[in-house]
Amino acid sequence: MPRRPPPGTVPWHRALRTLARLHHHPAPARPSRPAQLHGLLTVLDEAVSAQTPADAAVAACGEPGPVSRQTARSCGQQSITLHRLRARLQDLHLTEPDLVAVQAHAARLLAFDLWMLRESLNLAFTLHPTPRTEAARLRLNGLGRHADDLRRLRDGLRAETA
């Protein structure tokens, strides 16, 4: 009676055929530096453009008086946009060390923008406002220095292509 392999294992001849098939397919070539730079700049350009409405949404949370539902929707929409851009940024397959460093720095800056949007919403729509939280809300005036840092990061990278 022929011996059967234990459950969950692959017979050696099937494993050998699979390895032979894999051997005949070379690994995909990594993208060139200009292609990696172009992909990174494309996402960074979109991220810098998306910061204008996100900045306005954060500033609207800091306006005196009651905050509108439209402001809440705007913050939510901008959060979605920035989250998608951050995911696209992190999905780039970069191999150049300096571009990987730029990618990581830009992802941290976008994470801060997302945090600012969330915290602005929390301050603007708190269930139990206190004088302290209201004072913090009224100091909101946009994304701040991190938005400028992302723009400078993108501009420095763009200068490399010129």
Side-chain angles (χ1 to χ4, degrees):
M1 183 167 199
R3 241 177 95 196
R4 299 200 109 167
T9 61
V10 178
W12 66 270
H13 60 280
R14 281 186 30 224
L16 190 59
R17 278 187 296 205
T18 301
L19 285 173
R21 272 184 286 166
L22 290 174
H23 181 69
H24 293 296
H25 299 290
R30 70 180 190 163
S32 66
R33 179 178 177 79
Q36 291 179 45
L37 186 59
H38 175 72
L40 182 56
L41 277 171
T42 299
V43 176
L44 289 179
D45 284 340
E46 289 180 46
V48 168
S49 294
Q51 283 186 317
T52 301
D55 187 68
V58 169
C61 286
E63 292 292 321
V67 182
S68 71
R69 284 181 286 176
Q70 179 55 39
T71 297
R73 280 193 288 275
S74 180
C75 283
Q77 217 30 57
Q78 298 315 311
S79 290
I80 291 167
T81 299
L82 291 179
H83 177 73
R84 287 179 179 163
L85 283 166
R86 186 168 185 260
R88 280 182 48 208
L89 179 68
Q90 291 176 315
D91 286 345
L92 292 173
H93 298 291
L94 304 177
T95 58
E96 299 289 326
D98 61 325
L99 298 182
V100 171
V102 168
Q103 177 186 33
H105 188 202
R108 285 191 303 274
L109 292 171
L110 285 173
F112 180 81
D113 292 348
L114 285 163
W115 178 83
M116 278 294 295
L117 281 162
R118 186 179 63 247
E119 290 303 308
S120 298
L121 275 172
N122 288 345
L123 286 170
F125 295 97
T126 184
L127 293 176
H128 305 289
T130 65
R132 189 171 141 213
T133 58
E134 185 62 12
R137 181 184 76 79
L138 292 173
R139 284 193 304 270
L140 292 171
N141 62 2
L143 293 173
R145 181 178 61 86
H146 290 83
D148 297 334
D149 290 349
L150 184 66
R151 193 172 14 332
R152 279 192 291 276
L153 184 67
R154 189 268 325 252
D155 292 346
L157 203 57
R158 182 156 305 290
E160 184 181 317
T161 64

